[in-house]
């Protein structure tokens, strides 16, 4: 199953250094039967993109937490989504239509692609990370701020490009 895992630049560095990483709480997003049923229409590609966007929004929560502490993530506020093909995903429609849980770490060899914000998105990412909780609670101004960051497309990188990408950051 293709899963979309929210991450940060720090998590990406860990993945490259260790050859694997464990998603926070094992949480990922995927094209699940519940997600497919929640849309009136849409191709598989469009619905997978919806799951990827859910993971990108979850990445904002990780960035918000990183902004409270110290470290490399604070210097590079960019949404990161790791796309991987895994066998150990369990459906969790009780949490949301696209949510899945992974029972173990994800190996670099299972990664199909990585999606990362460009530097131009950083101000919008910081603003969105500050209001992500308010948006979840229905604040229209916060939703507008999230819309600004979601206007930025995530760049696509092959797994073998990750060391070079991280070196340039």
């Amino acid at each position: 199953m293709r899963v979309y895992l929210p991450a940060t630049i720090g998590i990406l560095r860990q993945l490259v250094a260790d050859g694997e990483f464990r998603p926070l709480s094992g949480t990922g997003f995927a094209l699940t039967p519940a997600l497919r049923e929640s849309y009136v229409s849409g191709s598989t590609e469009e619905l997978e993109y919806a799951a990827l966007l859910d993971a990108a929004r979850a990445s904002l929560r990780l960035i918000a937490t990183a902004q409270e502490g110290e470290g490399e993530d604070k210097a590079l506020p960019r949404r990161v989504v790791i796309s991987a093909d895994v066998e150990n995903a369990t459906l969790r429609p009780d949490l949301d239509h696209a949510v899945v849980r992974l029972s173990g770490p994800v190996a670099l060899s299972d990664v199909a692609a990585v999606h990362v914000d460009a530097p131009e998105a950083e101000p919008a990412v910081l603003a969105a990370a500050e209001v992500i909780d308010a948006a979840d609670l229905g604040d229209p101004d916060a939703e507008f701020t999230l819309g600004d960051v979601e206007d930025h497309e995530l760049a696509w990188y092959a797994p073998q490009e990750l060391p070079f990408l991280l070196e340039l950051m």
Side-chain angles (χ1 to χ4, degrees), residues 77-161:
R78 298 192 197 173
R79 295 172 299 162
V80 176
V81 176
I82 299 169
S83 300
D85 296 315
V86 300
E87 300 294 325
N88 60 345
T90 304
L91 301 178
R92 290 298 310 264
D94 56 313
L95 297 176
D96 202 358
H97 295 303
V99 176
V100 295
R101 288 271 193 239
L102 304 182
S103 60
V106 175
L108 183 56
S109 60
D110 294 331
V111 173
V114 174
H115 312 272
V116 181
D117 272 316
E120 303 82 51
E122 289 181 11
V125 169
L126 282 173
E130 288 178 14
V131 300
I132 186 72
D133 290 334
D136 285 346
L137 295 173
D139 182 316
D141 292 332
E143 269 298 327
F144 183 78
T145 302
L146 282 182
D148 286 345
V149 78
E150 290 172 350
D151 286 342
H152 292 273
E153 291 290 326
L154 297 168
W156 181 93
Y157 295 94
Q160 60 269 27
E161 295 176 297

Side-chain angles (χ1 to χ4, degrees), residues 28-94:
F29 300 84
L31 173 51
T32 64
L35 180 63
R36 187 174 297 281
E37 289 175 15
S38 71
Y39 281 82
V40 174
S41 67
S43 68
T44 297
E45 185 175 307
E46 290 169 329
L47 296 176
E48 285 181 339
Y49 186 68
L52 183 141
L53 290 179
D54 284 348
R57 190 171 273 209
S59 175
L60 289 170
R61 288 180 181 78
L62 297 175
I63 292 166
T65 301
Q67 294 307 309
E68 296 169 4
E70 299 294 325
E72 295 175 2
D73 283 349
K74 192 167 187 168
L76 289 169
R78 298 192 197 173
R79 295 172 299 162
V80 176
V81 176
I82 299 169
S83 300
D85 296 315
V86 300
E87 300 294 325
N88 60 345
T90 304
L91 301 178
R92 290 298 310 264
D94 56 313

